[in-house]
Amino acid sequence: MLNNQVPVTVLTGFLGSGKTTLLNRILTENHGKRIAVIENEFGEIGVDNDLVIGAEEEIFEMNNGCICCTVRGDLIRILGNLMKRRDKFDYIMVETTGLADPGPVAQTFFMDTEMQEKLQLDSVTTLVDAKHIWQHIDDSDEAREQIAFADVILLNKIDLVTEGELEQLEARIRSMNAAAKIYRTKDAVVEMDKILNVGGFDLDRAMEIDPQFMEPEYPFEWAGVYDLSAGTHELVLQEGPDPAMKVALVPVSASTDEALESAVEPVVMVFSDDEHELSAGGTLQPGGHLIALNLTADELRFDVQIGRPGAYALFTEHHPDEFQAQLFGSGTLVKPVVEREFKPDHEHDDEVTSVGITTPGDLDPDRLNDWIGNLLRTKGPDIFRMKGILSIKGQPERFVFQGVHMLFDGRPDRPWGGEPRYNSLIFIGRNLDRSELTEGFEACLA
């Protein structure tokens, strides 16, 4: 039987590793494949689409969140629409943000029956910036997960490091992922048969990396069903790893696994609502409300008011053991009749933010050079990534640029023609000062 599944490559790599460069190579190489591209960017404005050449390809942008989190529904929708035009392409590339965890993205192709029938995850291909990865590999979960989940790793920018540094990095990567095929590249130059149709994604290995790989993620880690009498009970906690914990208490039909299961999806919706803070000494009541227990007091006791005797499910953001949480009724410990643990949402490094600037007008090249030079000298370590499209006074072509930490590269692109001239750039990093960046850039306008 012919395999009519469309192969999909998930292209990942930390900020500035060279994903877009590789994508441009894939779109311009003579491999005979018609490729649809789905792009996801981190940041306030999308510029990657302007940096990708090959106007004949299908390119879909997803700029309203990270593909592994809030817009995974958008990914499924775009894939579904693509499959209605199955005759227009042979292959799909999904380029993730530099801060994406590839695990949940890969999971998308296994959680849905229709996806499994029509699409085949060919590989997770990860680019690694041979020079700058050391600045992130120890403090970024995303950078490590991108390497761990990779089937193919391109050790890119090898011209910026020594052979000894390369060997040290390759050994480190091997210790994290011994199964991936590793290729050393400059400017992401690699033979296409090394990254397309490699049939490399190994579900068994993904399960070894993350035993809960096939489980959906939830906004809570634990739920327990209690048989409670009418009256006031007491929820007692001890100081834990966080100053607050979100909880929801809902009535269920019985103290059974099935009754708990039926409450899960409705409570997922409750956890997406605005939270109501409850300080120690306050009263928790069953209902469809998300409650954030304030855990900053010396004594962490909360009343639990039950109007009718019956079965109630308590869903907690964190595992109750982390806070030694216990429920008492008339001074007696009440234990859950049924309990279940859930795979929690993954988290990103919240300190990494973006600043996007879009403005019409031409730039004075001398002022721009001085400003960028000074910016990279003084802020380079905190600027993980910068990229954009610039309109230089007197130049008929667009100027596209990309920067990673203190390295900067730019080149003229296609002519502006009759298109309105504008500037669009984005910074991604830590400790970014929006006002300073905006004022500095606008001072470069001619």
Side-chain angles (χ1 to χ4, degrees):
M1 184 175 71
L2 291 175
N3 182 1
N4 197 37
Q5 292 171 304
V6 177
V8 181
T9 294
V10 174
L11 189 58
T12 183
F14 201 73
L15 296 162
S17 56
K19 296 185 295 298
T20 304
T21 302
L22 176 61
L23 187 58
N24 278 331
R25 291 201 177 280
I26 294 171
L27 295 181
T28 53
E29 288 279 341
N30 185 24
H31 45 60
K33 294 181 176 60
R34 299 167 300 169
I35 297 179
V37 178
I38 299 174
E39 283 189 339
N40 181 217
E41 291 189 59
F42 177 88
E44 304 168 324
I45 58 173
V47 298
D48 273 1
N49 196 28
D50 286 322
L51 301 178
V52 173
I53 56 180
E56 294 182 0
E57 277 74 20
E58 301 271 4
I59 298 179
F60 300 85
E61 281 191 279
M62 303 165 65
N63 299 328
N64 57 336
C66 183
I67 199 170
C68 66
C69 312
T70 55
V71 299
R72 194 141 57 103
D74 282 0
L75 173 62
I76 294 171
R77 178 179 53 78
I78 289 175
L79 288 169
N81 288 334
L82 268 177
M83 297 315 294
K84 295 175 184 174
R85 302 153 64 187
R86 172 68 183 85
D87 59 325
K88 302 289 186 183
F89 58 91
D90 311 303
Y91 207 100
I92 298 174
M93 302 289 302
V94 180
E95 182 187 0
T96 70
T97 74
L99 293 172
D101 174 357
V105 182
Q107 186 192 52
T108 302
F109 299 94
F110 296 92
M111 297 299 293
D112 184 280
T113 304
E114 188 175 354
M115 291 286 165
Q116 283 184 295
E117 291 174 351
K118 297 180 178 177
L119 301 166
Q120 180 181 45
L121 181 57
D122 186 58
S123 75
V124 173
T125 294
T126 298
L127 284 100
V128 175
D129 181 334
K131 181 175 178 61
H132 295 105
I133 190 63
W134 291 110
Q135 298 180 38
H136 306 289
I137 200 167
D138 289 321
D139 63 2
S140 166
D141 290 340
E142 291 87 356
R144 289 193 296 274
E145 283 160 354
Q146 288 164 0
I147 291 172
F149 266 100
D151 304 293
V152 177
I153 292 175
L154 299 190
L155 209 53
N156 197 30
K157 305 185 184 181
I158 59 173
D159 52 315
L160 302 180
V161 295
T162 65
E163 177 66 23
E165 290 170 327
L166 267 178
E167 290 177 0
Q168 182 186 4
L169 176 57
E170 192 163 326
R172 174 68 187 275
I173 289 173
R174 286 284 180 214
S175 72
M176 300 165 66
N177 182 347
K181 295 177 181 176
I182 299 178
Y183 302 104
R184 297 181 178 187
T185 61
K186 175 188 174 186
D187 297 329
V189 176
V190 63
E191 296 171 18
M192 289 296 105
D193 60 2
K194 299 288 196 300
I195 54 174
L196 297 180
N197 276 331
V198 296
F201 186 79
D202 188 334
L203 181 59
D204 292 336
R205 195 170 61 79
M207 296 289 286
E208 289 178 11
I209 297 169
D210 177 7
Q212 295 178 305
F213 176 77
M214 293 296 287
E215 296 180 20
E217 295 181 345
Y218 291 95
F220 35 76
E221 288 189 1
W222 182 88
V225 178
Y226 298 84
D227 280 334
L228 298 179
S229 58
T232 302
H233 298 65
E234 192 175 41
L235 180 64
V236 181
L237 302 94
Q238 304 296 323
E239 185 178 358
D242 281 330
M245 179 162 67
K246 297 172 188 173
V247 302
L249 180 65
V250 296
V252 291
S253 59
S255 299
T256 61
D257 291 323
E258 293 76 15
L260 175 59
E261 181 63 30
S262 66
V264 169
E265 290 306 320
V267 173
V268 168
M269 300 304 293
V270 170
F271 267 74
S272 67
D273 289 341
D274 293 335
E275 62 195 45
H276 303 271
E277 184 175 312
L278 186 66
S279 299
T283 300
L284 177 65
Q285 294 179 319
H289 303 294
L290 181 62
I291 305 297
L293 301 178
N294 186 325
L295 305 179
T296 57
D298 292 335
E299 194 168 358
L300 301 175
R301 294 174 178 272
F302 300 84
D303 287 342
V304 178
Q305 189 67 45
I306 301 298
R308 291 183 179 179
Y312 293 87
L314 178 66
F315 288 78
T316 61
E317 178 186 11
H318 305 297
H319 199 288
D321 287 353
E322 295 180 74
F323 300 83
Q324 301 178 54
Q326 293 180 311
L327 185 64
F328 294 90
S330 303
T332 302
L333 178 64
V334 181
K335 292 187 176 181
V337 181
V338 174
E339 58 184 317
R340 177 182 162 187
E341 295 181 359
F342 298 87
K343 181 180 180 179
D345 284 342
H346 60 284
E347 297 178 350
H348 285 297
D349 183 349
D350 293 333
E351 293 182 4
V352 178
T353 58
S354 73
V355 173
I357 302 171
T358 300
T359 179
D362 290 339
L363 293 162
D364 182 300
D366 294 332
R367 290 184 211 162
L368 181 67
N369 278 335
D370 289 344
W371 177 66
I372 287 185
N374 182 62
L375 186 66
L376 294 182
R377 280 193 300 275
T378 57
K379 309 287 186 184
D382 281 340
I383 297 177
F384 298 173
R385 192 81 170 95
M386 57 185 295
K387 54 190 173 182
I389 311 293
L390 302 178
S391 172
I392 307 294
K393 184 178 181 181
Q395 298 296 321
E397 300 94 4
R398 308 185 323 164
F399 187 82
V400 299
F401 77 95
Q402 304 206 39
V404 180
H405 286 294
M406 302 177 81
L407 298 181
F408 179 87
D409 182 47
R411 58 177 169 77
D413 189 46
R414 59 181 168 81
W416 286 103
E419 182 184 353
R421 297 170 70 109
Y422 67 96
N423 304 280
S424 182
L425 67 165
I426 188 164
F427 299 88
I428 301 171
R430 289 199 178 100
N431 305 314
L432 299 181
D433 187 324
R434 178 183 301 277
S435 298
E436 185 179 11
L437 288 170
T438 304
E439 290 172 9
F441 181 75
E442 290 181 346
C444 299
L445 289 170

